[in-house]
Amino acid sequence: MKVAIIPGDGIGKEVLPSALSVLDAFGLDIEKVPLKIGYDKWKKTGSAITDDDIALIKQCDCVLFGAITTVPDPNYRSVLMLLRKELDLYANIRPFTPLEKVKLPCARKFDFVIVRENTEGMYSGVEELHEDVAYTTRIITRKGSARIAEKACKLANMRKKELTIVHKANVLKSDSFFRDVCTGVAKKNGIAYNEMLVDAMAYDMILHPGKYDVIVTTNLFGDILSDEAAAMVGGLGLCPSANIGDKYALFEPIHGSAPDIAGKGIANPIAAILSVKMMLEYAGHTREAISIFIAVNKVIDMGIVTPDLGGTYSTIDVSNAIIKLIR
Ligand code: ATP
């Protein structure tokens, strides 16, 4: 397998090397293609990613991504959004299962996955900025909605066969369209579904998280709900994600570059390490993926955690402890 490695900026440069050292511990036959993409490149060349970078990435089977700082330029377009479009990574899969021993701000018993449409909706990129008005076009297509609903149904089929479709169809026509396409796909696949308005969902997810299994929603709603879910499982430093298309996949922690703690060596590497776990599952290395999950739970149990989880250990201490357990 050939993997493009993009640490990016800020804590991406700290958590991704840690996650890679865990991957290396398995000695798998993986060719790594390192790429320098992000803010530093933008400062030197005026662009954060080049066509050559994209061509190289397209020669790989998948991407491991850290985080990229938003460049202070009104014409800048997010590298991650560009990669999602270029590689047609239409499904953003974000699992939320509390790890044992992590202190939680709400109920413990839940295990759900947010399946977020990743290429259209509010992040269509179709925007206009004028003197006194600005527009963003929220694009929802039949093809985009059907394929994300199919992915969610496929996932639901492997789990409890329960789908929750989250939308704001009482106000937005584009969302009643999304809802109707999703319900059609769920019926076709024989998946039981229910619907939630996004505001009610934001509330109920905290009160009754155990009710949910697979949640499918549009781009912006998925983005916001998954940050809420990250708080529910104990913090952004613990949450991995997969961006999946029909040809490529990109794995990344859901957190950003965290400039407030970058360079201090205290970022929690677990989100990045669990992103490696998701990549290994995708590639069929189930045994290795399970051993990462066991080792992560064990280091938390042993109290070898970074300050965001109340510990005093560094990023490297955590990954070294995980590697020791794996070996
Ligand atoms: P960006 O502009 O790149 O999105 P941000 O700071 O706006 O960065 P995040 O990087 O997601 O957004 O960070 C939000 C908060 O969560 C910050 O206070 C950050 O320190 C904290 N945080 C994010 N990731 C981690 C991590 N891996 N370990 C510890 N704290 C983290």
Side-chain angles (χ1 to χ4, degrees):
M1 184 166 66
K2 202 165 164 182
V3 184
I5 307 291
I6 306 176
D9 306 309
I11 63 166
K13 287 185 187 154
E14 300 165 39
V15 296
L16 208 65
S18 266
L20 286 174
S21 61
V22 173
L23 176 64
D24 288 345
F26 294 109
L28 295 168
D29 184 18
I30 291 178
E31 184 189 343
K32 290 185 235 138
V33 180
L35 286 143
K36 282 192 177 153
I37 287 172
Y39 193 54
D40 286 341
K41 184 165 208 158
W42 175 81
K43 278 194 285 187
K44 275 186 216 139
T45 67
S47 59
I49 184 167
T50 63
D51 290 345
D52 288 349
D53 293 327
I54 293 168
L56 265 176
I57 291 167
K58 284 185 173 171
Q59 286 168 24
C60 297
D61 301 297
C62 60
V63 183
L64 262 179
F65 189 92
I68 286 188
T69 301
T70 303
V71 167
D73 172 352
N75 296 317
Y76 169 74
R77 288 220 55 208
S78 153
V79 166
L80 196 50
M81 277 177 42
L82 184 123
L83 284 176
R84 285 172 180 163
K85 285 226 157 146
E86 278 288 334
L87 307 178
D88 201 20
L89 304 171
Y90 60 88
N92 194 330
I93 314 279
R94 298 182 159 188
F96 295 97
T97 317
L99 294 164
E100 290 164 34
K101 308 288 177 190
V102 172
K103 280 198 198 101
L104 303 186
C106 61
R108 263 223 93 77
K109 278 195 149 256
F110 63 91
D111 171 17
F112 60 80
V113 184
I114 295 180
V115 179
R116 163 188 168 193
E117 202 294 321
N118 220 11
T119 52
E120 50 185 42
M122 207 61 162
Y123 299 165
S124 66
V126 182
E127 304 197 277
E128 283 178 44
L129 183 59
H130 302 285
E131 180 73 21
D132 294 315
V133 65
Y135 302 100
T136 297
T137 306
R138 188 173 191 268
I139 298 175
I140 307 280
T141 66
R142 182 173 298 282
K143 180 185 164 201
S145 306
R147 65 182 184 173
I148 196 67
E150 286 286 355
K151 267 273 187 285
C153 286
K154 204 170 160 195
L155 198 58
N157 226 345
M158 296 189 290
R159 296 170 52 101
K160 292 191 208 151
K161 297 188 169 52
E162 288 167 15
L163 183 68
T164 302
I165 304 163
V166 176
H167 55 72
K168 190 70 183 167
N170 56 338
V171 177
L172 302 172
K173 286 196 171 53
S174 52
D175 261 24
S176 58
F177 179 79
F178 177 77
R179 187 257 328 264
D180 291 347
V181 176
C182 287
T183 54
V185 171
K187 279 181 197 153
K188 190 189 84 188
N189 283 282
I191 298 289
Y193 66 87
N194 68 327
E195 298 174 39
M196 287 290 281
L197 293 173
V198 64
D199 42 353
M201 185 68 190
Y203 186 73
D204 201 52
M205 218 167 77
I206 290 182
L207 288 181
H208 308 109
K211 266 168 55 182
Y212 300 101
D213 183 33
V214 176
I215 298 163
V216 66
T217 191
T218 53
N219 209 336
L220 178 62
F221 295 162
D223 196 4
I224 296 168
L225 288 178
S226 45
D227 266 30
E228 181 184 330
M232 291 165 61
V233 294
L236 282 165
L238 298 171
C239 304
S241 75
N243 298 259
I244 309 276
D246 292 331
K247 198 162 171 210
Y248 300 101
L250 180 151
F251 301 86
E252 47 150 358
I254 76 169
H255 62 72
S257 62
D260 54 337
I261 56 164
K264 296 184 181 163
I266 54 162
N268 190 342
I270 290 178
I273 292 168
L274 292 177
S275 301
V276 165
K277 170 189 171 274
M278 288 185 89
M279 183 185 84
L280 290 171
E281 277 163 353
Y282 172 83
H285 295 293
T286 314
R287 201 173 56 88
E288 289 79 2
I290 292 171
S291 69
I292 289 184
F293 187 68
I294 293 170
V296 163
N297 273 300
K298 185 96 183 131
V299 291
I300 295 172
D301 193 17
M302 289 158 75
I304 304 174
V305 292
T306 44
D308 56 310
L309 295 184
T312 52
Y313 288 87
S314 71
T315 310
I316 293 172
D317 291 335
V318 174
S319 52
N320 282 346
I322 289 172
I323 291 165
K324 218 167 149 192
L325 287 169
I326 285 170
R327 287 202 172 126

